[in-house]
Structures are given as structure tokens and as C-alpha cells.
Amino acid sequence: CYTTDTKSREENKKTIESLHRLSVDIKKIRRLKEWVLLQDVAYVKEIAGILQEMGADETTVANILERCPEAILHTPAEINSQRALWQLVCQNEKQLIKLIEQFPESFFTTEYHENQKANILFFQELGLKNNIITRFLTSAPNIFYNPVEKNKNLIETLQRSYLNLGGSNANMKIWILKLLSQNPFILLNTSTVIQENLEFLQKNDFTDHEVLQLLSKLKGFIFQLTPTTMQKSMLFSQNVFKCSDQELKQLVLKCPALLYYSIPVLEERLEGLLKEGISVAQIRETPMVLELTTQIVQYRIKKLSALGYNIKSGTLESLNGTKKDFELNYGKIQSKKERPIFNPVAPINIED
């Protein structure tokens, strides 16, 4: 254990000297986490030694300790336990040291070691591939701090919900694994939140099949919403598009972003489109355009306008999709524009 409230408020000279020998930028640590340098006990040489054993060179060690200086406050035993734990899902130590360099804070959080281990084993049993679990460890480490029972209960709630909505037993495992891969933060919710959100959609006349469709399209982000926020977003869309409840439902199924984005985000994006001369009727026809930021929309309109494509009178379909989708559409419009108006291989009729 260590504390940020030190009595002496004097830097530990031994720590400073050890870090200096490793070419660590001490000024950087002073600026960001000076409290680390004030602790009475630190394991600079030992932690550096463990990292070097794993294949880290001097620059890598210095980089890791600059980014996460609190690493030196853990005992070698704690770090070796963490090393063995992460090796359960890493291909080799080369991959492990690369991950530690990129995400040192995730690796050096050792307080939840037993929970981390139990959750890694649970995810492996569930069928998640090791490369997905390593992604979780680095990008969503909080889910490993939960007791494994909490994560198991939440997965069971999702499985029950999937079956209750008409999903098949045969597809359930694939559905769960895909959902988790897309959004592991689902596991930070509670079973109650999941239940409330699903009930809200059913009360708003979405069929079980449509709710399942929304869950897949929203990649589980629906569980990070509340019935109140969803209700507000739906009312906002209904007022903008002047549509009936049934028409609104179809718009949401076409573009789940209408459910997910907050009113300020939707307002900003609508305003951006209207400024470009696009009508509300056009947006209603292709609501998916609201999934794009205003900057992306402006960039795409500019590119299309340069080809002589008038977005005000045409369809918004050409603006839609991922960057790859847009580039593909843009290429088609471009080649159509550049196509010669005569057929170069057609025979030429010459009058006598």
C-alpha cells in the first residue's frame, strides 16, 4: 500500500538515482505523478529487471516507467503474478511487452488480481478468443475488476433475454460472443438496466424480432441508455420529422442512432445538414446520414460537389456509410462522369 499523503514531502533519493540510471525522464514524472517519488519504498531495479527479462530494451523500460511510474511501487511478486496471468492470453512475451508498453496502467493494476484471473478463465470457457480477451484487458480493464459472479449473472441475463425475444439456442452463443466483442462495457451494467431497456422498447410497440434487430445494430450500446433518454430522443425525432408512432418506429429501425444519440448531438447534426441545403424530407428518407458527424458530412458534400453532383436535388445515399463505402460510391460517380460519350470501338459510318 502507498499513499499520496506523505509526511516528509521529500523525494526518495534512492528512487531518483535508480530511475536516472535507467534514463527515465524524472522531470516528466515530477510533472505528472510526483507523489510516486515521495514514497519510502520503491522497486525500481526489480521491476525494470522483470521487464527486461520479458524482452524490453532500455528505451521501452524508460517509456513504460515514465507513462506509469506507480509500477515501481508494486512488489516483484505482484508483477510476476500479473505477468503469469496475462500470459494465459498472450501468444508470447514479445506480444506481452508490446501490450505493457501501450497500456501500462492496465497491466500494473494488480489490486484485483484474483478477480482478473477468475474472469479471464470464465471468458475462455465462454468461448471468447484470447486476442479478444487481450483487447478487453487493455481497453476495458474495469470489467475484470468485477467479481466473476457478477459477469456470469449478466451474461445469463443476456442469454435469457435473447431466448425470450425469440432467438434460437443454436445461435445464442454466437450472438453473445459477437455482442461482447463489439462492446465489452455491457458488463459494467446491471441486470435491472438490461431488463428496463428491453421492456421500454416492447412498450413502444417494437416486436420481439425488432428488439433483437436493434440490439444487434446498436452493438449492445442500448444497455448504456435509460428509458428516459430513449424517450426524449424519440420525441425529438417525432417532432422534427412530423411522423406517426408507427413511422417513427420504422425510422428508428432504419437508423438506431435516433435512439442512441442525445438530443444536443442530433440537433447539431440536423443543423449541419440543413445548412448545406438538405431538406428535412431528404433526411427522413435517409435517416442513416445522422450517424455521421457534421465534419464528415461537409467533407463528403465538398468532394461530391467537385464532381458536379448536386446533393440538394439528389439522394443522400451517396453520403452514407463507412469511409470505405463512401470512397466506393464516390469512385462510381467519378467514373460515370469521366466515361466518354462515344463508344470508341463502335464502327464509324462514313457516307460515300
Side-chain angles (χ1 to χ4, degrees):
C1 291
Y2 45 84
T3 173
T4 54
D5 181 26
T6 53
K7 292 173 189 174
S8 61
R9 304 299 297 170
E10 278 183 16
E11 290 182 353
N12 185 325
K13 285 177 185 172
K14 194 180 169 189
T15 301
I16 301 287
E17 283 165 18
S18 300
L19 288 169
H20 190 68
R21 278 192 215 106
L22 291 165
S23 305
V24 174
D25 185 345
I26 294 159
K27 285 181 185 174
K28 195 173 181 182
I29 296 178
R30 281 195 185 111
R31 193 170 66 249
L32 299 174
K33 292 180 181 177
E34 191 192 14
W35 58 270
V36 172
L37 304 173
L38 307 176
Q39 306 305 314
D40 294 332
V41 181
Y43 302 92
V44 183
K45 288 178 192 170
E46 293 87 342
I47 303 309
I50 293 170
L51 293 171
Q52 284 161 349
E53 268 176 41
M54 285 191 268
D57 59 22
E58 191 182 319
T59 309
T60 304
V61 171
N63 187 28
I64 290 169
L65 297 184
E66 281 166 14
R67 285 191 58 197
C68 186
E70 57 269 41
I72 64 173
L73 304 179
H74 293 291
T75 66
E78 285 174 329
I79 299 310
N80 276 322
S81 295
Q82 198 73 341
R83 174 185 179 178
L85 183 63
W86 281 47
Q87 279 175 326
L88 292 173
V89 288
C90 285
Q91 293 169 349
N92 48 46
E93 292 208 312
K94 190 182 175 185
Q95 187 201 6
L96 176 53
I97 203 69
K98 198 175 174 187
L99 286 175
I100 296 170
E101 189 178 11
Q102 287 176 300
F103 308 95
E105 290 84 0
S106 300
F107 180 78
F108 289 108
T109 301
T110 62
E111 289 85 345
Y112 307 92
H113 184 82
E114 289 310 313
N115 283 357
Q116 287 183 53
K117 187 174 183 178
N119 279 306
I120 284 174
L121 296 174
F122 166 60
F123 290 140
Q124 286 177 328
E125 283 166 27
L126 199 62
L128 278 170
K129 290 181 178 165
N130 284 342
N131 65 324
I132 301 291
I133 299 173
T134 53
R135 184 156 60 80
F136 288 3
L137 276 168
T138 53
S139 61
N142 293 14
I143 66 173
F144 293 87
Y145 307 159
N146 287 338
V148 71
E149 287 310 314
K150 182 185 182 298
N151 285 339
K152 278 183 180 175
N153 290 339
L154 213 83
I155 296 291
E156 283 164 14
T157 301
L158 286 168
Q159 289 170 329
R160 266 196 315 276
S161 301
Y162 179 76
L163 294 174
N164 291 342
L165 291 167
S168 70
N169 258 311
N171 291 331
M172 184 174 68
K173 186 179 176 181
I174 296 167
W175 183 79
I176 284 285
L177 294 180
K178 191 176 178 185
L179 202 64
L180 283 174
S181 302
Q182 290 172 329
N183 182 16
F185 296 103
I186 294 169
L187 295 170
L188 297 178
N189 289 304
T190 63
S191 300
T192 313
V193 167
I194 289 174
Q195 217 49 55
E196 283 174 355
N197 286 356
L198 294 179
E199 282 169 13
F200 168 80
L201 293 171
Q202 287 167 319
K203 282 175 192 168
N204 278 273
D205 295 328
F206 286 93
T207 65
D208 289 351
H209 176 72
E210 287 166 344
V211 173
L212 262 187
Q213 203 181 321
L214 278 174
L215 290 188
S216 300
K217 279 189 176 182
L218 278 168
K219 301 176 183 177
F221 286 114
I222 193 165
F223 301 130
Q224 286 165 240
L225 305 173
T226 66
T228 310
T229 56
M230 287 191 280
Q231 184 71 56
K232 284 178 180 172
S233 294
M234 284 174 74
L235 281 171
F236 172 77
S237 297
Q238 195 162 24
N239 289 333
V240 167
F241 297 117
K242 309 279 188 291
C243 56
S244 65
D245 289 352
Q246 189 56 35
E247 287 167 333
L248 176 66
K249 196 179 85 165
Q250 292 311 313
L251 282 173
V252 169
L253 287 169
K254 255 187 179 182
C255 176
L258 293 175
L259 202 62
Y260 177 69
Y261 288 128
S262 65
I263 292 173
V265 170
L266 290 171
E267 273 178 334
E268 186 208 338
R269 292 186 180 185
L270 271 163
E271 201 178 307
L273 288 162
L274 297 173
K275 273 183 183 172
E276 295 293 335
I278 292 164
S279 67
V280 171
Q282 281 177 295
I283 300 166
R284 182 174 165 171
E285 196 62 40
T286 316
M288 297 79 76
V289 78
L290 290 167
E291 291 173 0
L292 304 170
T293 65
T294 304
Q295 289 78 6
I296 290 172
V297 166
Q298 287 168 343
Y299 166 77
R300 292 183 180 184
I301 288 174
K302 198 175 177 182
K303 278 199 85 171
L304 290 169
S305 298
L307 293 179
Y309 186 89
N310 187 357
I311 203 77
K312 294 175 195 175
S313 55
T315 170
L316 299 187
E317 286 292 338
S318 49
L319 287 178
N320 264 347
T322 61
K323 186 181 178 183
K324 194 178 175 183
D325 295 334
F326 173 72
E327 293 300 339
L328 199 70
N329 279 332
Y330 177 79
K332 284 179 186 173
I333 295 167
Q334 193 175 30
S335 60
K336 202 173 179 184
K337 188 176 183 288
E338 290 168 358
R339 197 177 294 149
I341 52 170
F342 65 94
N343 184 346
V345 293
I348 298 170
N349 293 323
I350 301 170
E351 288 181 8
D352 290 335

